[in-house]
Amino acid sequence: MSTMLSQAKIAFVGAGSMAEAIARGLIQTEVANPKHVYMMNRSNQDRLAYLRSEYGLEATSDPDTKEVFIRNADVVVLCMKPKDVETAFAELAPMLNEKQLLISVIAGLSIDKAETLLQTNMPIVRTMPNTSSTIGLGATGMSFSSKVNDTFKQFAIQMFEAVGTVTIVDEDKLEILTGVSGSGPAYVYYFMEAMIKAGIEGGLSEEDAKQLTLQTFLGAAHMVQHTQEDPAELRRKVTSPNGATQASIETFDHYKFSEAVAQAVFASAARAKEMGEQIAANSPVGKSV
């Protein structure tokens, strides 16, 4: 494909929050022309009307129009839920062609299984973005099938850099990446919840506890980014011997905080793999000629 990304036609199958986040990033950064961004779902007209109004993109649930969008697309982005994959793929298979780039944002769906279900040799990019993509601060893991050439790789990277950072990994690392960055925002929110609750229990107002916690997380994240120092070293600099921070770190250690985080990451990775395995691939979709 010789088309520049700014002129590429990009079709999103699924119109949820992640599809919106990617589309918003592409349009706001002028990486893509909104008139070349197609969004589709099965029936939610209010959702489609909102997307058209908010971003100036094309959106439909009409089967015939959806088929036109997909057949004409240079890039097709799969954003449906894992439970909807088999039904959606059965409909999609006859509309796709091997000159298109297929990008999957479906948790757990392997490239091999996508190829099997679609009975295709088209180039496939498997991605795992996180919810911070909705504000342009996402972290996306990305793997490529052997059919993805350098041009397509740059297309995919540029698309997701519009909503944050991109990390290229071997596909067998995408589950652990899901455990770290895919589910990661929830760990941070959970930690923030606990700090806010403790602040309130200690006598702070809810507003003050929230603001102090938020600024603490923002400052710490920017400190790591700005100084490029190892988080462990920054922690040591804050932790004076026998001081208040030392007392809190010892409490974390007592409750095996690091072990709990590691086990949470591994549990997320295992569940992501399990969800992928639940997408049946034993009944391949026949592709019409």
Side-chain angles (χ1 to χ4, degrees):
M1 183 176 67
S2 59
T3 311
M4 297 297 290
L5 184 52
S6 59
Q7 293 152 335
K9 296 178 175 65
I10 304 169
F12 290 85
V13 184
S17 58
M18 189 55 68
E20 181 183 357
I22 300 165
R24 180 198 297 120
L26 291 170
I27 292 166
Q28 290 184 347
T29 58
E30 299 183 351
V31 168
N33 181 335
K35 291 302 178 186
H36 292 165
V37 176
Y38 310 139
M39 197 85 73
M40 57 203 81
N41 65 18
R42 289 191 180 278
S43 59
N44 190 334
Q45 298 302 318
D46 290 343
R47 174 69 174 161
L48 296 174
Y50 159 76
L51 292 167
R52 282 193 292 266
S53 171
E54 186 72 14
Y55 305 108
L57 50 75
E58 303 291 329
T60 189
S61 61
D62 176 70
D64 293 335
T65 308
K66 285 161 70 172
E67 181 168 353
V68 172
F69 283 170
I70 292 165
R71 288 189 183 278
N72 291 340
D74 298 298
V75 182
V76 178
V77 188
L78 306 176
C79 296
M80 71 283 293
K81 293 179 173 64
K83 68 180 178 63
D84 298 326
V85 164
E86 290 169 81
T87 303
F89 277 24
E91 295 174 3
L92 277 172
M95 306 177 198
L96 300 170
N97 69 76
E98 292 174 10
K99 292 182 180 179
Q100 296 170 314
L101 176 64
L102 191 68
I103 297 179
S104 171
V105 190
I106 302 166
L109 179 66
S110 70
I111 290 170
D112 182 65
K113 188 165 285 188
E115 290 175 338
T116 302
L117 282 168
L118 291 167
Q119 286 289 280
T120 185
N121 286 314
M122 68 192 301
I124 298 176
V125 178
R126 181 180 169 191
T127 69
M128 174 44 65
N130 65 16
T131 56
S132 301
S133 299
T134 59
I135 57 167
L137 291 172
T140 298
M142 185 176 290
S143 300
F144 307 109
S145 75
S146 60
K147 312 294 189 306
V148 182
N149 61 29
D150 288 342
T151 300
F152 277 144
K153 286 179 182 178
Q154 289 307 309
F155 256 65
I157 291 167
Q158 192 178 355
M159 278 183 64
F160 284 85
E161 282 183 341
V163 292
T165 63
V166 174
T167 300
I168 309 300
V169 297
D170 292 336
E171 190 182 7
D172 63 0
K173 303 297 190 298
L174 271 179
E175 274 78 26
I176 193 66
L177 182 145
T178 299
V180 173
S181 60
S183 299
Y187 313 156
V188 178
Y189 304 146
Y190 199 36
F191 195 177
M192 291 177 78
E193 283 181 71
M195 286 180 61
I196 292 166
K197 182 180 178 183
I200 294 169
E201 288 179 358
L204 292 174
S205 69
E206 182 176 354
E207 183 180 348
D208 286 347
K210 283 183 177 179
Q211 183 58 39
L212 289 164
T213 298
L214 171 61
Q215 190 61 27
T216 298
F217 274 80
L218 280 172
H222 279 290
M223 194 75 169
V224 175
Q225 186 178 54
H226 179 73
T227 65
Q228 293 296 299
E229 288 189 65
D230 190 288
E233 181 57 31
L234 289 171
R235 173 178 57 80
R236 281 191 285 272
K237 289 181 178 179
V238 178
T239 310
S240 303
N242 299 315
T245 306
Q246 178 68 38
S248 60
I249 297 297
E250 287 175 356
T251 303
F252 280 135
D253 288 343
H254 174 75
Y255 286 100
K256 302 187 186 311
F257 177 78
S258 293
E259 183 179 328
V261 172
Q263 291 304 314
V265 169
F266 299 149
S268 172
R271 179 57 182 147
K273 185 176 182 181
E274 188 178 72
M275 287 192 297
E277 290 169 350
Q278 288 171 351
I279 301 171
N282 56 5
S283 179
V285 176
K287 193 170 184 182
S288 61
V289 178

